[in-house]
Amino acid sequence: MRRKTKLIHGGTPFDPHTGAVSVPIYQVSTYKQEEIGVHKGYEYSRTGNPTRHALEQYIADLEEGSRGFAFSSGMAAIHAVFSLLSAGDHIILTDDVYGGTYRIATKVLNRLGIEATFVDTTKQEEIDKALLPHTKALFVETPTNPLLKVTDIAKLAEWTKSKRLLLIVDNTFSTPYWQTPLALGADIVVHSATKYIGGHSDVVAGLAVVNNEALGEELHFVQNATGGVLGPQDSWLLMRGLKTLGLRMEAHEENARAIVASLSALPAVHGIHYPGLPSHPQHELAKRQARGFGGIISFDVGSAQQAAAVIQRLKYFTLAESLGAVESLISVPARMTHASIPAARRQQLGITDGLIRISVGIEDAEDLVEDLEQSLQA
């Protein structure tokens, strides 16, 4: 089954009880039991809900995994996955991860006795150097947020298996339409489904998919025990969004390519980060590993003042947190999504005060290009 067909027919495309072509919103907290311990698969909606279950089967199918899980936010999904670790464990993470991931690793996991080390996961020697006897997992964001670095998933899958570590991949930027990390050897995939999977700026959600049933049982125990589950209405919104994911991801990328071509010719723009550029350090890897380059671009305009001035002059780019929606969004990571990372660390990573990140929407490309050009040329 090809990818766009799978987006329509994957998972549970029909309600098994009524034949409805859209799985209903089961707005219910508890379920009638025929007798003690005898029920129709559901007993309490924190443990399982038919609408959420349909979404979880759907994302597992799309990510080519064994079992899927839906959470109340992307960070709730990441927290649940990190909860598979124990006090005394160590985890290695990509250095320029999303600020929320950095925050939970340095401000929450450390309280629980879990140690974290951040390295450039595009460089094997840095990963090797960070490995400790009590390392249990490697968490990779690829492409990264906001510098769009690309890590070799298949290569690291071989390495983690040789070291008996879990490989966890944040697949938010690429989505299962462009990239399937489990097929490349990863153990767990996570998503901020608030982004491309939802796609319409109307839901906050997180997803995780595992590659085997044993991991699935462990993660379901954590999900049920901690209770950060996604509600049925939001689960339904994600299923609706997923049906058009392929069309949207192609439109995002088509517009991104046009914008990158325009930005490359503007003297006010420095250091464009986009995996689709032949000059990108991991361009060939991105071509081999994924089916597309996505719709996120970051570039530098020199200073915080310049970045603020550029944003003020724009008409079609909305200044906002988040990304992956049908409308084009723009942000300054140093002051927004990555503000929780210390300034010295941001500078070390290259997340400068003048770095702008744009999430390219699906408007007419000509309008977006003209809007950016008039602002940057001014």
Side-chain angles (χ1 to χ4, degrees):
M1 192 187 302
R2 293 171 178 83
R3 308 226 50 94
K4 283 181 187 172
T5 306
K6 200 171 190 177
L7 286 167
I8 304 301
H9 296 281
T12 307
F14 309 107
D15 177 42
H17 306 292
T18 65
V21 296
S22 174
V23 175
I25 298 170
Y26 284 91
Q27 193 66 50
V28 59
S29 62
T30 193
Y31 306 82
K32 180 181 183 297
Q33 300 189 20
E34 300 304 316
E35 54 185 273
I36 298 171
V38 178
H39 50 76
K40 297 178 180 178
Y42 301 96
E43 50 189 326
Y44 189 61
S45 275
R46 171 167 44 79
T47 308
N49 173 280
T51 314
R52 189 175 84 237
H53 182 62
L55 169 64
E56 291 174 334
Q57 287 185 313
Y58 194 4
I59 192 61
D61 200 1
L62 296 177
E63 282 286 9
E64 301 181 26
S66 172
R67 194 165 173 184
F69 301 89
F71 297 89
S72 56
S73 69
M75 288 313 305
I78 289 172
H79 182 240
V81 170
F82 284 161
S83 295
L84 297 173
L85 303 174
S86 301
D89 288 347
H90 172 250
I91 184 170
I92 302 170
L93 300 95
T94 301
D95 53 7
D96 65 321
V97 289
Y98 167 59
T101 306
Y102 179 87
R103 182 171 53 234
I104 195 173
T106 59
K107 303 293 185 183
V108 178
L109 295 187
N110 62 327
R111 298 182 188 181
L112 306 176
I114 299 170
E115 184 184 352
T117 301
F118 296 85
V119 303
D120 184 348
T121 52
T122 68
K123 298 176 180 177
Q124 185 64 49
E125 63 273 18
E126 290 199 18
I127 303 172
D128 291 335
K129 188 177 178 181
L131 182 66
L132 299 173
H134 54 295
T135 303
K136 300 298 182 184
L138 173 61
F139 183 100
V140 172
E141 195 174 88
T142 181
T144 61
N145 181 7
L147 299 176
L148 285 303
K149 293 190 294 189
V150 178
T151 293
D152 192 329
I153 297 171
K155 180 180 176 182
L156 284 186
E158 290 183 8
W159 183 83
T160 51
K161 283 177 175 56
S162 73
K163 306 296 182 184
R164 302 185 64 151
L165 309 178
L166 284 176
L167 177 57
I168 306 158
V169 178
D170 187 328
N171 200 31
T172 298
F173 274 24
S174 290
T175 79
Y177 188 71
W178 285 143
Q179 180 173 270
T180 41
L182 298 182
L184 296 170
D187 297 294
I188 304 175
V189 167
V190 295
H191 291 274
S192 172
T194 310
K195 314 304 193 293
Y196 286 111
I197 288 177
H200 293 77
S201 298
D202 56 9
V203 62
V204 174
L207 297 170
V209 183
V210 299
N211 70 347
N212 66 74
E213 192 56 35
L215 262 180
E217 284 299 314
E218 287 187 58
L219 191 54
H220 182 258
F221 176 84
V222 171
Q223 182 193 45
N224 186 46
T226 58
V229 296
L230 191 64
Q233 294 198 36
D234 288 344
S235 296
W236 184 88
L237 282 171
L238 287 191
M239 287 191 284
R240 185 178 67 167
L242 275 166
K243 291 178 182 178
T244 61
L245 180 65
L247 299 174
R248 289 187 285 107
M249 293 306 290
E250 291 179 1
H252 288 303
E253 178 161 325
E254 183 180 350
N255 283 355
R257 288 175 179 272
I259 288 172
V260 166
S262 171
L263 292 175
S264 300
L266 296 175
V269 175
H270 313 282
I272 302 171
H273 303 278
Y274 184 66
L277 277 171
S279 59
H280 187 282
Q282 294 93 38
H283 174 69
E284 291 302 319
L285 170 61
K287 283 172 60 179
R288 182 172 72 249
Q289 180 167 279
R291 293 172 288 273
F293 300 114
I296 306 295
I297 307 163
S298 62
F299 57 93
D300 206 309
V301 294
S303 69
Q305 292 78 14
Q306 289 279 44
V310 167
I311 289 170
Q312 277 204 322
R313 290 189 290 262
L314 292 170
K315 296 182 294 184
Y316 299 128
F317 288 81
T318 301
L319 177 64
E321 302 274 358
S322 201
L323 56 93
V326 291
E327 61 273 346
S328 291
L329 303 176
I330 192 164
S331 68
V332 177
R335 298 175 64 185
M336 298 173 72
T337 55
H338 290 66
S340 60
I341 298 176
R345 177 65 175 163
R346 291 198 305 266
Q347 290 298 319
Q348 182 184 13
L349 294 172
I351 305 173
T352 64
D353 291 345
L355 187 74
I356 291 174
R357 187 193 73 189
I358 57 176
S359 171
V360 182
I362 62 172
E363 302 94 338
D364 281 319
E366 293 85 351
D367 286 327
L368 298 178
V369 167
E370 289 169 4
D371 194 21
L372 282 167
E373 285 180 347
Q374 64 82 21
S375 179
L376 288 159
Q377 288 169 349

